[in-house]
Amino acid sequence: MPIASETAFTTSDTAHRLTADTVRAAATRLTPADSADPHPTRSWYALVGTHLYYVVDLLEETPGPGNVTARTARMRLAELGFPVFALAWNTLLTKGHPGHTG
């Protein structure tokens, strides 16, 4: 899949544009994920530079967006060329997460 220079998505009936530069800028304002103390409800992460960040935090930290779903965030970040990862254990490995497998 070719890497897009820009992507768009809609939240709360508002269209948002996203570029790799806006994602990188958002990452500078966030604390990277800590593998020694993972968040109990966060499954999807994106690699920005040398750190992992929760995909929804990245998009919500960019100007404008709110109420971003994990699916929207991971799809848009992957489209921009950021590697996206899911943490998985137990039944998540065999069945997937019902809220994120769409």
Side-chain angles (χ1 to χ4, degrees):
M1 171 158 119
I3 296 173
S5 60
E6 181 178 274
T7 187
F9 61 98
T10 303
T11 60
S12 304
D13 296 326
T14 303
H16 304 283
R17 291 195 161 326
L18 188 66
T19 67
D21 287 339
T22 58
V23 172
R24 287 186 199 96
T28 66
R29 296 185 294 273
L30 295 170
T31 301
D34 184 352
S35 62
D37 187 24
H39 194 283
T41 63
R42 295 179 175 170
S43 302
W44 289 97
Y45 296 84
L47 181 65
V48 180
T50 58
H51 298 288
L52 290 175
Y53 298 89
Y54 181 52
V55 295
V56 170
D57 287 352
L58 279 169
L59 262 64
E60 288 186 345
E61 187 63 29
T62 62
N67 301 320
V68 178
T69 66
R71 183 179 194 282
T72 296
R74 67 184 170 88
M75 299 301 283
R76 298 296 73 86
L77 290 165
E79 188 176 350
L80 291 171
F82 293 100
V84 176
F85 302 89
L87 297 179
W89 56 92
N90 300 328
T91 57
L92 287 176
L93 290 171
T94 59
K95 296 181 182 178
H97 189 293
H100 299 162
T101 55

Coordinates of all heavy atoms in Angstrom, one line a residue:
M1 N 0.8 -1.2 0.0 CA 0.0 0.0 0.0 C 0.9 1.2 0.0 O 1.8 1.4 0.8 CB -0.9 0.0 1.2 CG -1.7 1.2 1.5 SD -3.1 0.9 2.5 CE -2.8 1.8 3.9
P2 N 0.7 2.2 -0.9 CA 1.5 3.4 -0.9 C 1.2 4.2 0.3 O 0.1 4.3 0.8 CB 1.0 4.1 -2.2 CG 0.0 3.3 -2.8 CD -0.3 2.1 -2.0
I3 N 2.2 5.0 0.7 CA 2.0 5.8 1.9 C 1.4 7.2 1.4 O 1.9 7.8 0.5 CB 3.4 6.1 2.6 CG1 3.9 4.7 3.1 CG2 3.3 7.1 3.6 CD1 5.3 4.8 3.7
A4 N 0.4 7.6 2.1 CA -0.3 8.9 1.7 C 0.5 10.0 2.4 O 1.0 9.9 3.5 CB -1.7 8.8 2.2
S5 N 0.4 11.2 1.7 CA 1.0 12.4 2.3 C 0.0 13.1 3.2 O 0.4 13.9 4.1 CB 1.5 13.3 1.2 OG 0.4 13.7 0.4
E6 N -1.2 12.8 3.0 CA -2.3 13.4 3.8 C -3.5 12.4 3.9 O -3.7 11.7 2.9 CB -2.7 14.7 3.2 CG -3.8 15.4 4.0 CD -4.1 16.8 3.4 OE1 -3.4 17.8 3.8 OE2 -5.0 16.8 2.6
T7 N -4.2 12.4 5.0 CA -5.4 11.6 5.0 C -6.5 12.4 5.7 O -6.2 13.5 6.3 CB -5.2 10.3 5.8 OG1 -6.3 9.5 5.7 CG2 -4.8 10.5 7.2
A8 N -7.7 12.0 5.6 CA -8.9 12.8 6.2 C -9.8 11.8 6.9 O -9.9 10.6 6.5 CB -9.6 13.5 5.1
F9 N -10.5 12.3 7.9 CA -11.5 11.5 8.6 C -12.5 12.4 9.2 O -12.3 13.7 9.3 CB -10.8 10.6 9.6 CG -10.1 11.3 10.7 CD1 -10.7 11.6 11.9 CD2 -8.8 11.8 10.5 CE1 -10.0 12.3 12.9 CE2 -8.1 12.5 11.5 CZ -8.7 12.7 12.7
T10 N -13.6 11.9 9.6 CA -14.7 12.7 10.2 C -15.0 12.2 11.6 O -15.1 11.0 11.9 CB -16.0 12.6 9.4 OG1 -15.6 13.0 8.0 CG2 -17.1 13.5 9.9
T11 N -15.1 13.2 12.6 CA -15.5 12.9 13.9 C -16.5 14.0 14.3 O -16.4 15.1 14.0 CB -14.4 12.9 15.0 OG1 -13.8 14.2 15.0 CG2 -13.3 11.9 14.7
S12 N -17.6 13.5 14.9 CA -18.7 14.5 15.4 C -19.1 15.4 14.2 O -19.2 16.6 14.4 CB -18.2 15.3 16.6 OG -17.8 14.4 17.6
D13 N -19.3 14.8 13.0 CA -19.7 15.5 11.8 C -18.7 16.6 11.4 O -19.1 17.6 10.7 CB -21.1 16.1 12.0 CG -22.1 15.1 12.2 OD1 -22.0 14.0 11.6 OD2 -23.1 15.3 13.0
T14 N -17.5 16.6 11.8 CA -16.5 17.5 11.4 C -15.3 16.8 10.7 O -14.8 15.8 11.2 CB -15.9 18.3 12.6 OG1 -17.0 18.9 13.3 CG2 -14.9 19.3 12.2
A15 N -15.0 17.3 9.5 CA -13.9 16.7 8.7 C -12.5 17.2 9.3 O -12.4 18.4 9.6 CB -14.0 17.0 7.3
H16 N -11.6 16.3 9.3 CA -10.2 16.6 9.8 C -9.2 16.1 8.8 O -9.4 15.1 8.2 CB -9.9 16.0 11.1 CG -10.9 16.3 12.2 ND1 -10.9 17.5 12.9 CD2 -12.0 15.6 12.7 CE1 -11.9 17.5 13.7 NE2 -12.6 16.4 13.7
R17 N -8.2 16.9 8.6 CA -7.0 16.5 7.7 C -5.9 16.2 8.7 O -5.6 16.8 9.7 CB -6.7 17.6 6.8 CG -7.7 17.9 5.7 CD -7.1 18.7 4.6 NE -7.7 18.8 3.4 CZ -8.3 17.9 2.7 NH1 -8.5 16.7 3.2 NH2 -8.8 18.1 1.5
L18 N -5.1 15.2 8.2 CA -4.0 14.7 9.1 C -2.8 14.4 8.2 O -2.9 13.9 7.1 CB -4.4 13.4 9.7 CG -3.5 12.8 10.8 CD1 -3.4 13.7 12.0 CD2 -4.0 11.4 11.2
T19 N -1.6 14.9 8.6 CA -0.4 14.6 7.9 C 0.6 14.0 8.8 O 0.4 14.0 10.1 CB 0.3 15.9 7.3 OG1 0.7 16.7 8.4 CG2 -0.7 16.7 6.4
A20 N 1.7 13.4 8.3 CA 2.7 12.8 9.1 C 3.3 13.8 10.0 O 3.6 13.5 11.2 CB 3.8 12.1 8.3
D21 N 3.5 15.1 9.6 CA 4.1 16.1 10.4 C 3.2 16.5 11.6 O 3.7 16.7 12.7 CB 4.3 17.4 9.6 CG 5.5 17.2 8.6 OD1 6.4 16.3 8.8 OD2 5.6 17.9 7.6
T22 N 1.9 16.5 11.4 CA 1.0 16.8 12.5 C 1.0 15.7 13.6 O 0.9 15.9 14.8 CB -0.5 17.1 12.1 OG1 -1.0 16.0 11.4 CG2 -0.6 18.3 11.3
V23 N 1.2 14.4 13.1 CA 1.3 13.3 14.0 C 2.6 13.4 14.8 O 2.6 13.2 16.0 CB 1.2 11.9 13.3 CG1 1.5 10.8 14.2 CG2 -0.2 11.8 12.6
R24 N 3.7 13.7 14.1 CA 5.0 13.8 14.8 C 4.9 14.9 15.8 O 5.5 14.8 16.9 CB 6.1 14.0 13.8 CG 6.5 12.8 13.0 CD 7.7 13.0 12.1 NE 7.7 12.1 11.0 CZ 7.2 12.2 9.8 NH1 6.7 13.4 9.4 NH2 7.3 11.3 8.9
A25 N 4.3 16.0 15.5 CA 4.2 17.2 16.4 C 3.4 16.8 17.6 O 3.7 17.1 18.8 CB 3.6 18.4 15.7
A26 N 2.3 16.0 17.4 CA 1.5 15.5 18.5 C 2.3 14.6 19.4 O 2.2 14.7 20.7 CB 0.2 14.8 18.0
A27 N 3.1 13.8 18.9 CA 3.9 12.8 19.7 C 4.9 13.6 20.6 O 5.1 13.1 21.7 CB 4.7 11.9 18.8
T28 N 5.4 14.8 20.2 CA 6.3 15.5 21.0 C 5.6 16.0 22.3 O 6.2 16.3 23.3 CB 6.9 16.7 20.3 OG1 5.9 17.7 19.9 CG2 7.7 16.2 19.1
R29 N 4.3 16.1 22.2 CA 3.5 16.6 23.4 C 3.0 15.5 24.3 O 2.4 15.8 25.3 CB 2.3 17.5 22.9 CG 2.8 18.7 22.2 CD 1.6 19.6 21.8 NE 0.7 19.1 20.9 CZ 0.8 19.1 19.5 NH1 1.8 19.7 19.0 NH2 -0.1 18.6 18.7
L30 N 3.2 14.2 23.9 CA 2.7 13.1 24.7 C 3.9 12.3 25.3 O 5.0 12.4 24.9 CB 2.0 12.1 23.7 CG 0.7 12.7 23.1 CD1 0.2 11.7 22.0 CD2 -0.4 12.8 24.2
T31 N 3.5 11.6 26.3 CA 4.5 10.7 27.0 C 4.4 9.3 26.3 O 3.3 8.8 26.1 CB 4.2 10.5 28.5 OG1 4.2 11.8 29.1 CG2 5.1 9.6 29.1
P32 N 5.5 8.8 25.8 CA 5.4 7.5 25.2 C 4.8 6.4 26.1 O 4.9 6.5 27.3 CB 6.9 7.1 24.8 CG 7.6 8.4 24.9 CD 6.9 9.3 25.9
A33 N 4.3 5.3 25.5 CA 3.8 4.2 26.2 C 4.9 3.6 27.0 O 6.0 3.5 26.6 CB 3.2 3.2 25.2
D34 N 4.6 3.0 28.2 CA 5.5 2.4 29.1 C 5.2 0.9 29.1 O 4.2 0.5 29.7 CB 5.4 3.1 30.4 CG 6.5 2.5 31.4 OD1 7.2 1.6 31.1 OD2 6.6 3.1 32.5
S35 N 6.1 0.1 28.5 CA 5.8 -1.3 28.5 C 5.9 -1.9 29.9 O 5.3 -3.0 30.1 CB 6.9 -2.0 27.6 OG 8.2 -1.8 28.1
A36 N 6.5 -1.3 30.9 CA 6.6 -1.8 32.2 C 5.3 -1.5 33.0 O 5.0 -2.1 34.0 CB 7.7 -1.2 33.0
D37 N 4.5 -0.6 32.5 CA 3.2 -0.2 33.1 C 2.2 0.1 32.0 O 1.7 1.2 31.9 CB 3.4 1.0 34.0 CG 2.2 1.3 34.8 OD1 1.4 0.4 35.1 OD2 2.1 2.5 35.2
P38 N 1.7 -1.0 31.3 CA 0.8 -0.7 30.2 C -0.6 -0.3 30.7 O -1.0 -0.6 31.8 CB 0.7 -2.1 29.5 CG 1.1 -3.1 30.5 CD 2.1 -2.4 31.4
H39 N -1.2 0.5 29.9 CA -2.6 1.0 30.2 C -3.5 -0.2 30.1 O -3.5 -0.9 29.1 CB -3.0 2.1 29.3 CG -4.2 2.9 29.8 ND1 -5.4 2.4 29.7 CD2 -4.2 4.1 30.4 CE1 -6.3 3.3 30.2 NE2 -5.6 4.3 30.6
P40 N -4.4 -0.4 31.0 CA -5.3 -1.6 31.0 C -6.4 -1.6 29.9 O -6.9 -2.6 29.6 CB -6.0 -1.5 32.4 CG -5.9 -0.1 32.9 CD -4.6 0.4 32.2
T41 N -6.7 -0.4 29.3 CA -7.7 -0.4 28.3 C -7.3 0.0 26.9 O -8.1 0.2 26.0 CB -8.9 0.5 28.7 OG1 -8.4 1.8 28.8 CG2 -9.5 0.1 30.0
R42 N -6.0 0.0 26.7 CA -5.4 0.5 25.4 C -4.7 -0.7 24.8 O -3.8 -1.3 25.3 CB -4.5 1.6 25.6 CG -5.3 2.8 26.1 CD -4.4 4.0 26.4 NE -5.2 5.1 26.8 CZ -4.7 6.3 27.2 NH1 -3.4 6.4 27.3 NH2 -5.5 7.3 27.5
S43 N -5.2 -1.0 23.5 CA -4.6 -2.1 22.8 C -3.8 -1.7 21.6 O -2.9 -2.4 21.2 CB -5.7 -3.0 22.3 OG -6.5 -3.5 23.4
W44 N -4.1 -0.6 21.0 CA -3.5 -0.2 19.7 C -2.5 1.0 19.9 O -2.8 2.0 20.4 CB -4.5 0.2 18.7 CG -5.3 -0.9 18.2 CD1 -6.6 -1.3 18.7 CD2 -5.0 -1.9 17.2 NE1 -7.0 -2.4 18.1 CE2 -6.1 -2.8 17.1 CE3 -3.9 -2.0 16.4 CZ2 -6.0 -3.8 16.2 CZ3 -3.9 -3.0 15.4 CH2 -4.9 -3.9 15.4
Y45 N -1.3 0.7 19.3 CA -0.2 1.7 19.4 C 0.4 1.9 18.0 O 0.4 1.1 17.2 CB 0.9 1.2 20.4 CG 0.4 1.0 21.8 CD1 -0.3 -0.1 22.2 CD2 0.5 2.1 22.7 CE1 -0.8 -0.2 23.5 CE2 0.1 2.0 24.0 CZ -0.6 0.8 24.4 OH -1.1 0.8 25.6
A46 N 1.0 3.1 17.9 CA 1.7 3.4 16.6 C 3.2 3.8 17.0 O 3.4 4.4 18.0 CB 1.0 4.6 15.9
L47 N 4.1 3.4 16.1 CA 5.5 3.8 16.3 C 5.7 5.1 15.6 O 5.5 5.3 14.4 CB 6.4 2.7 15.7 CG 7.9 2.9 15.8 CD1 8.3 2.9 17.3 CD2 8.6 1.9 15.0
V48 N 6.1 6.1 16.4 CA 6.5 7.4 15.9 C 7.9 7.7 16.3 O 8.1 7.8 17.5 CB 5.5 8.5 16.4 CG1 5.9 9.9 15.8 CG2 4.0 8.2 16.0
G49 N 8.8 7.8 15.4 CA 10.2 7.9 15.8 C 10.6 6.6 16.4 O 10.5 5.6 15.8
T50 N 11.1 6.7 17.6 CA 11.6 5.5 18.3 C 10.7 5.1 19.5 O 11.1 4.3 20.3 CB 13.0 5.7 18.8 OG1 13.0 6.8 19.7 CG2 14.0 5.9 17.7
H51 N 9.5 5.7 19.6 CA 8.6 5.4 20.7 C 7.2 5.0 20.2 O 6.7 5.3 19.1 CB 8.4 6.7 21.6 CG 9.7 7.1 22.2 ND1 10.3 6.5 23.2 CD2 10.4 8.2 21.9 CE1 11.4 7.1 23.6 NE2 11.5 8.2 22.8
L52 N 6.5 4.2 21.1 CA 5.1 3.8 20.8 C 4.2 4.8 21.6 O 4.4 5.2 22.7 CB 4.9 2.4 21.3 CG 5.5 1.3 20.6 CD1 5.3 -0.1 21.3 CD2 5.0 1.2 19.1
Y53 N 3.1 5.1 20.9 CA 2.1 6.0 21.4 C 0.7 5.3 21.2 O 0.5 4.7 20.1 CB 2.1 7.4 20.8 CG 3.4 8.1 21.0 CD1 4.4 7.9 20.1 CD2 3.5 8.9 22.1 CE1 5.6 8.6 20.3 CE2 4.7 9.6 22.3 CZ 5.8 9.4 21.4 OH 7.0 10.1 21.7
Y54 N -0.2 5.5 22.1 CA -1.6 5.0 21.9 C -2.2 5.8 20.7 O -2.1 7.0 20.6 CB -2.4 5.3 23.2 CG -3.8 4.8 23.1 CD1 -4.1 3.5 22.7 CD2 -4.9 5.6 23.4 CE1 -5.4 3.0 22.7 CE2 -6.2 5.1 23.4 CZ -6.4 3.8 23.0 OH -7.7 3.4 23.0
V55 N -2.8 5.1 19.8 CA -3.3 5.7 18.5 C -4.3 6.7 18.7 O -4.3 7.8 18.0 CB -3.8 4.6 17.5 CG1 -2.7 3.6 17.1 CG2 -5.0 3.8 18.1
V56 N -5.2 6.5 19.6 CA -6.3 7.6 19.9 C -5.7 8.8 20.5 O -6.0 9.9 20.1 CB -7.4 7.0 20.8 CG1 -8.4 8.1 21.2 CG2 -8.2 5.9 20.0
D57 N -4.7 8.7 21.4 CA -4.1 9.8 22.0 C -3.4 10.7 20.9 O -3.4 11.9 20.9 CB -3.0 9.4 23.0 CG -3.6 9.0 24.3 OD1 -4.9 9.1 24.5 OD2 -2.9 8.5 25.2
L58 N -2.7 10.0 20.0 CA -2.0 10.7 18.9 C -3.0 11.6 18.1 O -2.7 12.8 17.8 CB -1.3 9.7 17.9 CG 0.0 9.2 18.4 CD1 0.5 8.1 17.5 CD2 1.1 10.3 18.4
L59 N -4.1 11.0 17.7 CA -5.0 11.8 16.9 C -5.7 12.8 17.7 O -6.0 14.0 17.2 CB -6.1 10.9 16.2 CG -5.7 10.6 14.7 CD1 -4.4 9.8 14.6 CD2 -6.8 9.9 14.0
E60 N -6.1 12.6 18.9 CA -6.7 13.6 19.7 C -5.8 14.7 20.1 O -6.3 15.8 20.5 CB -7.4 12.9 20.9 CG -8.6 12.1 20.5 CD -9.4 11.5 21.7 OE1 -8.9 11.5 22.8 OE2 -10.5 11.1 21.5
E61 N -4.5 14.5 20.0 CA -3.5 15.5 20.4 C -3.3 16.4 19.1 O -2.7 17.5 19.3 CB -2.2 14.9 20.8 CG -1.2 15.8 21.3 CD -1.6 16.6 22.6 OE1 -2.4 16.1 23.4 OE2 -1.1 17.7 22.7
T62 N -3.7 16.0 18.0 CA -3.6 16.9 16.8 C -4.7 17.9 16.8 O -5.7 17.7 17.5 CB -3.7 16.1 15.5 OG1 -5.0 15.5 15.4 CG2 -2.6 15.0 15.4
P63 N -4.5 19.1 16.2 CA -5.5 20.1 16.3 C -6.9 19.7 15.7 O -7.0 19.1 14.6 CB -4.9 21.2 15.4 CG -3.5 20.9 15.3 CD -3.3 19.5 15.4
G64 N -7.9 19.9 16.5 CA -9.3 19.6 16.1 C -10.0 18.4 16.5 O -11.0 18.5 17.1
P65 N -9.4 17.2 16.3 CA -10.2 16.0 16.5 C -10.6 15.7 18.0 O -9.8 16.1 18.9 CB -9.3 14.8 16.0 CG -8.4 15.5 15.1 CD -8.2 16.9 15.6
G66 N -11.7 15.1 18.2 CA -12.2 14.6 19.4 C -13.0 13.4 19.2 O -13.5 13.2 18.0
N67 N -13.2 12.6 20.1 CA -14.0 11.4 20.0 C -13.6 10.5 18.9 O -14.4 9.9 18.1 CB -15.5 11.7 19.8 CG -16.1 12.5 20.9 OD1 -15.8 12.3 22.1 ND2 -16.9 13.5 20.6
V68 N -12.3 10.2 18.8 CA -11.7 9.4 17.7 C -11.8 7.9 18.2 O -11.4 7.6 19.3 CB -10.2 9.8 17.4 CG1 -9.6 8.9 16.4 CG2 -10.1 11.2 17.0
T69 N -12.2 7.0 17.3 CA -12.2 5.6 17.7 C -10.8 5.0 17.4 O -10.1 5.5 16.6 CB -13.3 4.9 16.8 OG1 -12.9 4.9 15.5 CG2 -14.7 5.4 17.0
A70 N -10.6 3.9 18.0 CA -9.3 3.2 17.8 C -9.2 2.7 16.4 O -8.1 2.8 15.8 CB -9.2 2.0 18.8
R71 N -10.3 2.3 15.8 CA -10.3 1.8 14.4 C -9.9 3.0 13.4 O -9.0 2.9 12.6 CB -11.6 1.2 14.0 CG -11.6 0.7 12.6 CD -12.9 0.1 12.2 NE -12.8 -0.7 11.0 CZ -12.7 -0.2 9.8 NH1 -12.8 1.1 9.6 NH2 -12.7 -1.1 8.7
T72 N -10.5 4.1 13.6 CA -10.2 5.3 12.8 C -8.8 5.7 12.9 O -8.1 5.9 11.9 CB -11.1 6.5 13.1 OG1 -12.5 6.2 12.8 CG2 -10.7 7.8 12.4
A73 N -8.3 5.8 14.2 CA -6.9 6.2 14.4 C -5.9 5.2 13.8 O -5.0 5.7 13.2 CB -6.7 6.3 16.0
R74 N -6.1 4.0 14.0 CA -5.1 3.0 13.5 C -5.1 3.0 12.0 O -4.1 2.9 11.3 CB -5.3 1.6 14.1 CG -6.5 0.9 13.7 CD -6.6 -0.5 14.5 NE -7.9 -1.1 14.4 CZ -8.2 -1.9 13.4 NH1 -7.3 -2.2 12.5 NH2 -9.4 -2.4 13.3
M75 N -6.3 3.1 11.3 CA -6.4 3.1 9.9 C -5.7 4.4 9.3 O -5.0 4.3 8.3 CB -7.8 3.0 9.4 CG -8.5 1.7 9.9 SD -7.7 0.2 9.3 CE -8.3 0.2 7.7
R76 N -5.9 5.5 9.9 CA -5.4 6.7 9.3 C -3.9 6.8 9.6 O -3.1 7.2 8.7 CB -6.0 8.0 10.0 CG -7.5 8.1 9.7 CD -7.9 8.3 8.3 NE -7.9 7.2 7.4 CZ -8.8 6.3 7.2 NH1 -9.9 6.3 7.9 NH2 -8.6 5.3 6.3
L77 N -3.4 6.3 10.7 CA -2.0 6.3 11.0 C -1.2 5.4 10.1 O -0.2 5.7 9.6 CB -1.7 6.0 12.5 CG -2.1 7.1 13.4 CD1 -2.2 6.6 14.9 CD2 -1.2 8.3 13.3
A78 N -1.8 4.2 9.8 CA -1.2 3.2 8.9 C -1.2 3.8 7.5 O -0.2 3.6 6.8 CB -2.0 1.9 8.9
E79 N -2.2 4.5 7.1 CA -2.2 5.1 5.8 C -1.1 6.1 5.6 O -0.6 6.3 4.5 CB -3.6 5.8 5.6 CG -3.8 6.3 4.2 CD -5.2 6.9 4.0 OE1 -6.1 6.8 4.9 OE2 -5.5 7.5 3.0
L80 N -0.7 6.8 6.7 CA 0.4 7.8 6.6 C 1.7 7.1 6.8 O 2.8 7.8 6.7 CB 0.2 8.8 7.7 CG -1.0 9.8 7.6 CD1 -1.1 10.6 8.8 CD2 -0.7 10.7 6.3
G81 N 1.8 5.8 6.9 CA 3.0 5.1 7.0 C 3.6 4.8 8.3 O 4.7 4.2 8.5
F82 N 2.8 5.1 9.4 CA 3.3 4.8 10.7 C 3.0 3.3 11.0 O 1.8 2.9 10.9 CB 2.6 5.7 11.8 CG 3.0 7.1 11.7 CD1 2.2 8.0 11.0 CD2 4.3 7.5 12.2 CE1 2.6 9.3 10.9 CE2 4.7 8.8 12.0 CZ 3.8 9.7 11.4
P83 N 3.9 2.5 11.5 CA 3.6 1.1 11.9 C 2.7 1.1 13.1 O 2.8 1.9 14.0 CB 5.0 0.6 12.3 CG 6.0 1.5 11.6 CD 5.3 2.8 11.6
V84 N 1.6 0.3 13.0 CA 0.6 0.2 14.0 C 0.7 -1.2 14.6 O 0.8 -2.2 13.9 CB -0.8 0.5 13.5 CG1 -1.9 0.3 14.5 CG2 -0.9 1.9 12.9
F85 N 0.6 -1.3 16.0 CA 0.8 -2.5 16.7 C -0.4 -2.7 17.7 O -0.9 -1.7 18.2 CB 2.1 -2.5 17.5 CG 3.3 -2.3 16.7 CD1 3.8 -1.1 16.5 CD2 4.0 -3.4 16.2 CE1 4.9 -0.9 15.8 CE2 5.1 -3.3 15.5 CZ 5.6 -2.0 15.3
A86 N -0.7 -4.0 17.9 CA -1.7 -4.3 18.9 C -1.1 -5.1 20.0 O -0.3 -6.1 19.7 CB -2.9 -5.0 18.3
L87 N -1.3 -4.8 21.3 CA -0.9 -5.7 22.3 C -2.0 -6.8 22.5 O -3.2 -6.5 22.4 CB -0.9 -4.9 23.7 CG 0.1 -3.8 23.7 CD1 0.1 -3.1 25.1 CD2 1.5 -4.3 23.5
A88 N -1.5 -8.0 22.6 CA -2.5 -9.1 22.7 C -2.0 -10.2 23.6 O -0.8 -10.4 23.8 CB -2.6 -9.7 21.3
W89 N -2.9 -10.8 24.3 CA -2.6 -11.9 25.2 C -3.9 -12.7 25.3 O -5.0 -12.3 24.9 CB -2.2 -11.3 26.6 CG -3.3 -10.4 27.2 CD1 -4.3 -10.7 28.0 CD2 -3.4 -9.0 27.0 NE1 -5.1 -9.6 28.3 CE2 -4.5 -8.5 27.7 CE3 -2.7 -8.1 26.2 CZ2 -4.9 -7.2 27.7 CZ3 -3.1 -6.8 26.2 CH2 -4.2 -6.4 27.0
N90 N -3.8 -13.9 25.9 CA -4.9 -14.8 26.1 C -5.8 -14.9 24.9 O -5.4 -15.2 23.8 CB -5.6 -14.5 27.4 CG -4.8 -14.5 28.6 OD1 -3.8 -15.3 28.6 ND2 -5.0 -13.7 29.6
T91 N -7.1 -14.7 25.1 CA -8.1 -14.8 24.0 C -7.9 -13.7 22.9 O -8.4 -13.9 21.8 CB -9.5 -14.8 24.6 OG1 -9.7 -13.5 25.3 CG2 -9.8 -15.9 25.5
L92 N -7.3 -12.6 23.2 CA -7.0 -11.7 22.2 C -6.2 -12.3 21.1 O -6.3 -11.9 19.9 CB -6.4 -10.4 22.7 CG -7.2 -9.5 23.6 CD1 -6.4 -8.4 24.1 CD2 -8.4 -9.0 22.8
L93 N -5.3 -13.2 21.4 CA -4.5 -13.8 20.4 C -5.3 -14.8 19.6 O -5.0 -15.0 18.4 CB -3.3 -14.6 21.1 CG -2.2 -13.7 21.7 CD1 -1.3 -14.5 22.5 CD2 -1.5 -12.9 20.6
T94 N -6.3 -15.5 20.2 CA -7.0 -16.5 19.4 C -8.3 -16.0 18.8 O -8.7 -16.4 17.7 CB -7.4 -17.7 20.3 OG1 -8.1 -17.2 21.4 CG2 -6.1 -18.4 20.8
K95 N -8.9 -15.0 19.4 CA -10.2 -14.5 18.9 C -10.2 -13.0 18.5 O -11.1 -12.6 17.8 CB -11.3 -14.6 20.0 CG -11.6 -16.1 20.4 CD -12.6 -16.1 21.5 CE -12.9 -17.6 21.9 NZ -13.9 -17.7 22.9
G96 N -9.2 -12.2 18.9 CA -9.2 -10.8 18.6 C -10.1 -10.0 19.5 O -10.8 -10.6 20.3
H97 N -10.0 -8.7 19.5 CA -10.8 -7.8 20.3 C -12.0 -7.5 19.6 O -12.0 -6.9 18.5 CB -10.0 -6.6 20.7 CG -10.6 -5.7 21.7 ND1 -11.8 -5.0 21.5 CD2 -10.2 -5.4 23.0 CE1 -12.1 -4.3 22.5 NE2 -11.2 -4.6 23.5
P98 N -13.2 -7.8 20.1 CA -14.4 -7.5 19.4 C -14.7 -6.1 19.0 O -15.3 -5.8 18.0 CB -15.5 -8.1 20.3 CG -14.9 -8.1 21.7 CD -13.4 -8.3 21.4
G99 N -14.2 -5.2 19.8 CA -14.3 -3.8 19.4 C -13.4 -3.2 18.4 O -13.5 -2.1 18.0
H100 N -12.3 -4.0 18.1 CA -11.3 -3.4 17.2 C -11.0 -4.3 16.0 O -10.1 -4.0 15.2 CB -10.0 -3.3 18.0 CG -10.1 -2.4 19.1 ND1 -9.2 -2.4 20.1 CD2 -11.0 -1.4 19.5 CE1 -9.5 -1.4 21.0 NE2 -10.6 -0.9 20.6
T101 N -11.8 -5.3 15.8 CA -11.4 -6.2 14.7 C -12.1 -5.9 13.4 O -11.9 -6.5 12.4 CB -11.8 -7.7 15.0 OG1 -13.2 -7.7 15.4 CG2 -10.9 -8.2 16.1
G102 N -12.9 -4.8 13.4 CA -13.7 -4.4 12.2 C -12.8 -3.7 11.1 O -11.7 -3.5 11.2

